[in-house]
Amino acid sequence: MADTPPIIDVKRFIDEQRFSPYQWGILATCFLMIAIDTYDAFAVGFVVPVLMQEWHIGKALFGPVMSASIFGMAVGALVSGPLYDRTTPKTVMVGSMILFGLCSLGSTLAQTPLQLGIWRLVTGLGIGAAVPGATTLVYEYAPARRSALVVNTMACGGMVGAAACALTAGMLIPAYGWKSLFLVGAIIPIVLALFVQFTMPEPLRFMVLREWPGERIAAVLRRIGPGQALDGVRFVFSEEQGADRKSGMAVMLSRRLRTGTLMLWLTYFAGTFAYYLLMGWMPTLVQEAGASLRQATMATSLLSLGGIVGAFGVGWLMDRFERNSVVALAFVLGGVSVWMIGRQTAHPVLLPLFIFLAGVGLNGAIFSMGALAAMFYPTSGRSAGVAWMYGVGRIGGILGPIAGGMLLRTSSGAGMFFTVVMAAVMVPAVALWIKRRAATKVPADDNEGLIGRDVTAG
């Protein structure tokens, strides 16, 4: 009778190793992916002033163009959920990057706002589909002791991408025209897609779940833990809800995860609604309170800077304390700070401080939602779960600026505006409290499982 092969739990293996150069490479690649996604999403805002003069068209006609990519990102995230079930996370990521790279190139061919809007819509589809895969890949290769911090670090690529877009626009558009900005946004994602295809792995636990050859799993583990004995072993993984062999929507809406899924959707929807409502109209309100354009721009920068600090801070705390509570408290900090911004418009001495704290709380919490969702779902439904949260949430981002315009036409001033934003920010805190309460009601024996692959790595 043959000896039973030794067992290696891939989750435990990653947790026990130091964060290797190979894992740093995965993080850096996905960081760049998020950065170029944001670059491409922001690019249209920098070309509109040029196109208004070149095409002799008023700015009102460009409103739908600027919203098209956000709408596309929402649809792309929703559509990508079933794709992750039918193929692999890396395949969806690579295809999505090629799609939005080609569509960014196609944007240079636009001659009317309608044509540009169509190109931006399809570009958004690719961006929306790529981000959940990157989140899943980074999370599954991060050790549990720092998984939230690693995922939040990746999310900060968005801030780098936005800054890079502004810098690139300032250098290229005056010298080479508006098409050059889209051309850069086309070349980089296509090159990055090829790099991912030939150098990046699939998520490890995904490979075990799909019963990939043991040699392929061992080859990845050797790059994380050089020198480890991996010949002739059986690869398994253990995680919460690991025994659930459902996938995609079936996992998200299963009895034990349904409430948490709905609360994640509500949290991200309300959070992005408040964020885009605030970002879209705060510069105008600050100027109306007597600040200069430069001061209003600095206020927006403080909000973004606070977001970077918040992303690292909230991620660090999530790895040490109950994660739903940490993110909920970050939303509370953001909500209180937003309310205080409204109180400070007449006495602006402390205004920069509260804007910064609003960024720490609100932006830090939103950046942490990818990690929170990735931790919540098992491997079989992780990519789809993260994708649907992003997709539903981005609808809030579309509605936020629209609601702001309506609110400012009907409200009694800035104080009421910031009060409404605060109320929207508090909704996620309540939703995450409900999510946490629902999780405590799941029977303990329904939460653990072991999935194995009876194969030896030779």
Side-chain angles (χ1 to χ4, degrees):
M1 182 176 177
D3 293 336
T4 302
I7 294 175
I8 286 184
D9 179 349
V10 296
K11 180 178 184 295
R12 186 174 301 164
F13 182 93
I14 293 175
D15 290 345
E16 291 175 350
Q17 307 301 315
R18 297 181 62 183
F19 202 70
S20 67
Y22 186 65
Q23 290 161 293
W24 277 110
I26 294 173
L27 173 60
T29 301
C30 292
F31 181 95
L32 289 175
M33 189 183 306
I34 300 298
I36 191 60
D37 283 355
T38 309
Y39 171 102
D40 209 79
F42 275 68
V44 68
F46 291 98
V47 305
V48 164
V50 179
L51 293 179
M52 288 170 56
Q53 297 180 3
E54 185 173 318
W55 292 350
H56 306 289
I57 295 175
K59 61 182 179 181
L61 292 177
F62 285 98
V65 175
M66 299 179 73
S67 299
S69 61
I70 301 176
F71 181 76
M73 284 189 282
V75 176
L78 296 174
V79 171
S80 69
L83 293 179
Y84 284 115
D85 291 339
R86 291 174 170 79
T87 179
T88 72
K90 190 171 82 170
T91 300
V92 178
M93 290 164 57
V94 170
S96 299
M97 285 188 290
I98 292 176
L99 174 63
F100 76 72
L102 292 176
C103 290
S104 185
L105 181 63
S107 298
T108 65
L109 305 176
Q111 298 179 344
T112 66
L114 177 60
Q115 293 176 5
L116 183 60
I118 293 173
W119 282 115
R120 302 318 298 164
L121 174 66
V122 185
T123 301
L125 293 175
I127 295 173
V131 173
T135 302
T136 296
L137 189 64
V138 168
Y139 173 77
E140 294 213 2
Y141 279 95
R145 63 185 179 275
R146 61 176 68 175
S147 58
L149 180 59
V150 170
V151 174
N152 282 16
T153 300
M154 178 204 70
C156 288
M159 292 295 180
V160 174
C165 186
L167 182 63
T168 305
M171 293 189 300
L172 292 185
I173 292 179
Y176 303 103
W178 64 272
K179 294 182 180 181
S180 61
L181 193 63
F182 287 133
L183 187 61
V184 172
I187 294 173
I188 295 178
I190 293 175
V191 172
L192 191 60
L194 296 176
F195 180 81
V196 170
Q197 177 63 36
F198 293 109
T199 65
M200 291 292 102
E202 296 285 354
L204 261 176
R205 285 171 277 182
F206 172 87
M207 290 192 284
V208 175
L209 180 65
R210 294 293 180 92
E211 300 183 346
W212 283 34
E215 292 79 4
R216 296 188 64 175
I217 300 173
V220 175
L221 291 178
R222 288 190 183 100
R223 303 191 69 175
I224 296 174
Q228 298 289 328
L230 299 174
D231 293 333
V233 302
R234 175 178 174 233
F235 294 109
V236 300
F237 74 83
S238 58
E239 67 171 4
E240 289 187 356
Q241 302 148 352
D244 195 339
R245 301 307 297 262
K246 299 176 183 177
S247 61
M249 291 295 292
V251 172
M252 288 186 286
L253 299 179
S254 61
R255 180 180 61 85
R256 61 187 174 189
L257 299 182
R258 187 181 303 125
T259 300
T261 292
L262 295 176
M263 291 303 102
L264 281 173
W265 292 358
L266 177 59
T267 296
Y268 202 65
F269 177 93
T272 56
F273 174 89
Y275 173 76
Y276 282 100
L277 174 58
L278 185 64
M279 286 290 288
W281 291 102
M282 189 175 69
T284 300
L285 292 172
V286 171
Q287 288 185 74
E288 288 180 351
S292 64
L293 175 60
R294 181 179 180 181
Q295 290 171 324
T297 304
M298 287 297 295
T300 305
S301 299
L302 280 173
L303 198 68
S304 300
L305 178 61
I308 296 175
V309 174
F312 285 109
V314 175
W316 185 85
L317 291 170
M318 287 175 69
D319 289 331
R320 286 157 178 80
F321 303 100
E322 203 285 316
R323 48 188 176 264
N324 294 291
S325 300
V326 170
V327 179
L329 288 174
F331 274 117
V332 171
L333 172 63
V336 172
S337 299
V338 166
W339 184 77
M340 290 302 297
I341 292 173
R343 307 280 78 75
Q344 297 297 317
T345 51
H347 306 284
V349 177
L350 296 178
L351 185 60
L353 172 62
F354 289 113
I355 291 176
F356 177 79
L357 291 177
V360 171
L362 178 56
N363 291 10
I366 292 175
F367 279 170
S368 303
M369 289 303 297
L372 194 65
M375 293 173 177
F376 179 65
Y377 292 109
T379 296
S380 57
R382 181 166 293 125
S383 294
V386 173
W388 271 75
M389 184 196 73
Y390 281 141
V392 173
R394 284 191 169 115
I395 297 173
I398 297 171
L399 298 178
I402 298 173
M406 298 173 60
L407 180 64
L408 291 176
R409 284 196 297 268
T410 58
S411 73
S412 57
M416 178 61 69
F417 174 89
F418 287 109
T419 300
V420 171
V421 176
M422 179 201 68
V425 175
M426 292 302 182
V427 170
V430 176
L432 291 177
W433 178 80
I434 295 173
K435 174 178 176 290
R436 182 186 178 188
R437 292 278 296 177
T440 61
K441 298 179 181 179
V442 179
D445 60 358
D446 199 27
N447 266 342
E448 295 182 357
L450 187 68
I451 291 182
R453 170 73 169 113
D454 290 314
V455 66
T456 57

